[in-house]
Amino acid sequence: MGTVIWLIMAVLTIIPMMKLLPHFGYDKLWALACVIPLGTLILLWLMAAKLQEMEKR
């Protein structure tokens, strides 16, 4: 049962990431890194850094 919940949460995270990542200049397939929790955190940090860079311009 825990595996099913984990898969549902992964899919619910991957879909929005696939839509957001191209706006930050990253390939949407990087969203598959959200399958592991550390991958989600890394992508969020990369997006935040890119947003900060975009705001400076």
Side-chain angles (χ1 to χ4, degrees), residues 42-56:
I42 292 170
L43 285 175
L44 287 172
W45 275 91
L46 288 173
M47 290 168 58
K50 188 71 157 192
L51 183 61
Q52 222 174 15
E53 179 185 313
M54 291 166 58
E55 286 178 345
K56 287 183 181 178

Side-chain angles (χ1 to χ4, degrees), residues 4-35:
V4 173
I5 293 172
W6 178 77
L7 285 172
I8 291 170
M9 293 303 290
V11 169
L12 290 174
T13 307
I14 290 171
I15 293 171
M17 283 290 198
M18 284 185 127
K19 294 182 182 223
L20 287 172
L21 285 173
H23 295 288
F24 290 92
Y26 297 107
D27 187 29
K28 66 181 180 181
L29 291 178
W30 277 107
L32 296 176
C34 292
V35 171

